[in-house]
Amino acid sequence: MKQGELSTWLKTVIIFLAVIICVTVVYIGPNILEWRSSLNPELAYIYPLGMVTLISVLIPIIIALVFSWIICCEIKKNNSFSMKNSNLLKYIAICAIIDSVIFFISILTMFLFKSVDLTILVINFILLFSSIFAAVLMAVLSHLTEKAAQLKAENDLTI
């Protein structure tokens, strides 16, 4: 696969992810929160807390998608292994860590208010572990990209 084709394919995936995330935050998430809070009127305060969590999680995700788009542009320029891409991958890992902290705080808040709702708790745990996995994956990719960029620089000096 050529660099241009790979970049186009990755950009398509990024756009698809952005659409899925926006639909989830704008439609699915609020509907689940409204449905769960309507089942138990004592837990009506779950809705505003859940909306704050959804919006605070959305910000690092958007930043990570923008950084991913920049990496795709660098791939198209045949500059895949560069320190710029390594740093962008580190920033994406930081965004994933921020999301995992937000999910962890959300879980703690549920236990603090004694409003443990099994559906929302399971969703939070899945998202927590997913964001931790993404952070580790991006950190490893950042390290490998940095090493490849160093090798590329050494090879450029040798010739």
Side-chain angles (χ1 to χ4, degrees):
M1 186 178 286
K2 296 179 183 175
Q3 301 286 22
E5 292 173 8
L6 178 64
S7 175
T8 303
W9 186 78
L10 290 173
K11 286 180 181 179
T12 304
V13 170
I14 291 170
I15 291 170
F16 184 69
L17 281 173
V19 168
I20 289 173
I21 290 167
C22 286
V23 166
T24 301
V25 170
V26 171
Y27 182 72
I28 297 172
N31 283 340
I32 289 174
L33 289 169
E34 186 177 336
W35 170 66
R36 294 309 292 174
S37 63
S38 68
L39 287 179
N40 191 353
E42 296 172 355
L43 302 178
Y45 59 87
I46 286 178
Y47 185 79
L49 289 175
M51 290 304 296
V52 168
T53 303
L54 280 174
I55 291 173
S56 60
V57 163
L58 183 64
I59 295 168
I61 290 174
I62 290 173
I63 293 170
L65 289 174
V66 169
F67 288 155
S68 300
W69 190 271
I70 295 170
I71 290 172
C72 289
C73 292
E74 289 296 315
I75 290 172
K76 189 172 187 175
K77 295 177 190 174
N78 201 13
N79 195 18
S80 302
F81 301 111
S82 65
M83 292 306 291
K84 179 180 180 181
N85 285 351
S86 175
N87 289 333
L88 289 171
L89 287 168
K90 284 179 190 174
Y91 298 146
I92 294 171
I94 291 170
C95 289
I97 290 169
I98 291 170
D99 274 348
S100 62
V101 167
I102 292 170
F103 288 125
F104 183 71
I105 290 171
S106 174
I107 292 168
L108 286 179
T109 304
M110 287 175 65
F111 283 111
L112 181 69
F113 288 134
K114 295 180 178 142
S115 63
V116 179
D117 182 55
L118 187 61
T119 307
I120 296 174
L121 185 67
V122 169
I123 291 171
N124 275 338
F125 269 114
I126 290 170
L127 293 173
L128 171 68
F129 292 124
S130 299
S131 60
I132 290 171
F133 175 76
V136 170
L137 182 66
M138 291 302 122
V140 168
L141 284 175
S142 172
H143 177 74
L144 293 174
T145 304
E146 183 178 343
K147 294 298 180 186
Q150 290 172 354
L151 285 172
K152 181 181 173 189
E154 288 175 10
N155 283 343
D156 289 344
L157 292 176
T158 304
I159 299 174

